[in-house]
Amino acid sequence: MKMSKLFNAILLISFVYIFSSCETDFNPNAEYKDITVVYGLLNQNDSISYIKINKAFLGDQNAYVMAQYEDSSSYGNNLEVKVQEVGTNKVFIFDTTTIFNKESGIFYSPNQVIYKCVTYKQLIVGNEYKLTIRNKKTGKLITSSTQLISPFSIIFNGQTFNLPTSGKKVIEWKSAKYGKAYQFNLRFNYFDNGNPKYLDMIFPVSKSKDVYGGELMRVEFTSTYFFKTIQSNIPVIPGVVRNVGKIELKVSVAADEFSTYLDINAPSGSIVQVRPEYTNIANGIGIFSARYDNSVDNPCRLDLGSKTNDSLKYGQYTSQLGFQ
């Protein structure tokens, strides 16, 4: 999901929460209350860290109309935003910046103010990070904190990726400290007449029992799934010459608070629409947590094994795709 879509989703979740209570609980003419909505995720591998901060709003117009006006939900330059490394003197000051390519939707576009700071190679695993937001006009303080997710490696022997002729392929790793939800992605890199392309095979989220790390995690899939996925997503083009690139094994991880936030705000099949509130923002609502993936610190990039490559070229599912 693009950054602008993620920000829109957070704002929409907060919007729905505030306005979905019973009509008897909602008074559009009530005294104005400043409700700060925060969305920020730290990742030690990001060169720049971003935090989205908005305000919920009330007014005498239709809320969907008000959402199209910047001053309804933006603080502009009225916030002082910083993240401190707890136990040290290191402080990261987040300055305002403007994104110019926000897609149109419920909230104003194409320009939106967000907060950013260069954190390249400065966030240290094992340390706690405290977010502080101060409203320069009112003095209001909003706070939260998070731990970074520790690095981990996928358990894999050898330099080639081979699929079994029968049974299931098993990929394993050990859970990371402070990590909770894990999503495995097998990226199949290939070339169309020399032009690089890729296909992501994204697997369901799995969760560790705790956040202490060291738990053996795994995904399983068959060779039939692998080849059928390629068949379904790469078109047959007469005359095209395709070559296989590296197979990348990636695991994206959400910290405990972020995992809980996603669970509570996931689409529901229930007719009961009232959801429990979850936030780890003091004096506001939203989420400040951490995420991580293994592809930067501990990349797992493999050549396709010769037998699996032969199956790709001559097998019943993919023989028409032009792989050499």
Side-chain angles (χ1 to χ4, degrees):
M1 182 180 291
K2 295 181 180 180
M3 181 180 297
S4 59
K5 289 185 178 179
L6 277 172
F7 291 157
N8 272 353
I10 294 298
L11 287 174
L12 181 58
I13 287 166
S14 305
F15 169 83
V16 170
Y17 166 74
I18 292 167
F19 290 102
S20 63
S21 56
C22 297
E23 291 183 8
T24 55
D25 297 331
F26 173 65
N27 179 4
N29 297 314
E31 182 180 355
Y32 174 76
K33 182 180 180 181
D34 178 30
I35 301 175
T36 304
V37 184
V38 181
Y39 178 77
L41 299 173
L42 294 184
N43 181 348
Q44 60 265 36
N45 289 327
D46 288 343
S47 57
I48 300 176
S49 295
Y50 295 92
I51 301 175
K52 181 66 174 172
I53 307 171
N54 283 84
K55 56 184 175 180
F57 54 84
L58 299 175
D60 56 5
Q61 298 185 54
N62 180 288
Y64 288 96
V65 174
M66 291 181 64
Q68 295 295 318
Y69 296 98
E70 180 177 353
D71 59 359
S72 295
S73 57
S74 175
Y75 285 101
N77 294 312
N78 293 326
L79 298 181
E80 178 184 90
V81 182
K82 64 181 181 180
V83 171
Q84 180 177 1
E85 190 176 81
V86 176
T88 74
N89 294 322
K90 187 184 294 184
V91 177
F92 300 93
I93 304 299
F94 282 70
D95 295 320
T96 56
T97 188
T98 301
I99 56 174
F100 298 97
N101 59 347
K102 177 192 170 296
E103 296 178 6
S104 60
I106 291 176
F107 295 92
Y108 65 94
S109 61
N111 303 339
Q112 273 203 5
V113 173
I114 60 174
Y115 299 80
K116 75 171 186 177
C117 180
V118 176
T119 54
Y120 182 64
K121 293 186 176 181
Q122 297 185 71
L123 300 176
I124 300 174
V125 174
N127 288 349
E128 181 181 4
Y129 290 87
K130 180 179 179 181
L131 169 69
T132 302
I133 303 167
R134 186 179 71 87
N135 190 314
K136 292 185 285 188
K137 294 180 67 176
T138 65
K140 177 184 176 181
L141 289 178
I142 301 96
T143 62
S144 188
S145 63
T146 189
Q147 296 273 5
L148 299 180
I149 299 170
S150 297
F152 65 95
S153 299
I154 289 177
I155 302 170
F156 204 95
N157 295 320
Q159 299 298 315
T160 57
F161 180 84
N162 287 296
L163 290 171
T165 54
S166 62
K168 294 182 178 181
K169 180 71 173 178
V170 177
I171 307 294
E172 295 180 324
W173 66 91
K174 288 188 176 180
S175 64
K177 190 174 183 180
Y178 300 120
K180 183 62 177 179
Y182 298 79
Q183 188 160 53
F184 175 72
N185 175 17
L186 189 157
R187 175 166 290 185
F188 175 75
N189 289 290
Y190 67 99
F191 298 88
D192 267 12
N193 289 337
N195 299 312
K197 296 189 175 183
Y198 64 85
L199 168 62
D200 282 337
M201 304 181 193
I202 300 175
F203 290 71
V205 172
S206 58
K207 293 189 178 182
S208 57
K209 295 177 182 177
D210 53 50
V211 294
Y212 302 121
E215 179 184 342
L216 188 64
M217 311 285 292
R218 62 193 288 163
V219 294
E220 300 177 350
F221 57 94
T222 64
S223 58
T224 300
Y225 167 82
F226 178 83
F227 292 119
K228 277 191 170 182
T229 302
I230 292 174
Q231 178 193 40
S232 299
N233 291 276
I234 298 179
V236 175
I237 302 177
V240 70
V241 176
R242 290 182 167 124
N243 300 99
V244 178
K246 295 284 185 178
I247 302 295
E248 297 181 60
L249 307 182
K250 301 182 177 185
V251 180
S252 299
V253 190
D256 198 14
E257 298 87 354
F258 185 33
S259 173
T260 302
Y261 189 89
L262 291 173
D263 286 345
I264 289 177
N265 292 293
S268 172
S270 171
I271 61 174
V272 179
Q273 295 299 312
V274 178
R275 297 174 181 268
E277 176 190 3
Y278 180 80
T279 177
N280 71 339
I281 307 295
N283 217 15
I285 60 174
I287 186 72
F288 178 67
S289 188
R291 61 184 178 87
Y292 178 80
D293 69 72
N294 71 298
S295 61
V296 176
D297 292 330
N298 298 290
C300 191
R301 301 185 179 97
L302 307 166
D303 293 319
L304 195 64
S306 58
K307 290 184 178 180
T308 302
N309 193 40
D310 285 345
S311 296
L312 181 69
K313 290 190 289 185
Y314 307 117
Q316 60 176 315
Y317 301 113
T318 54
S319 61
Q320 303 300 312
L321 296 181
F323 282 99
Q324 305 299 305

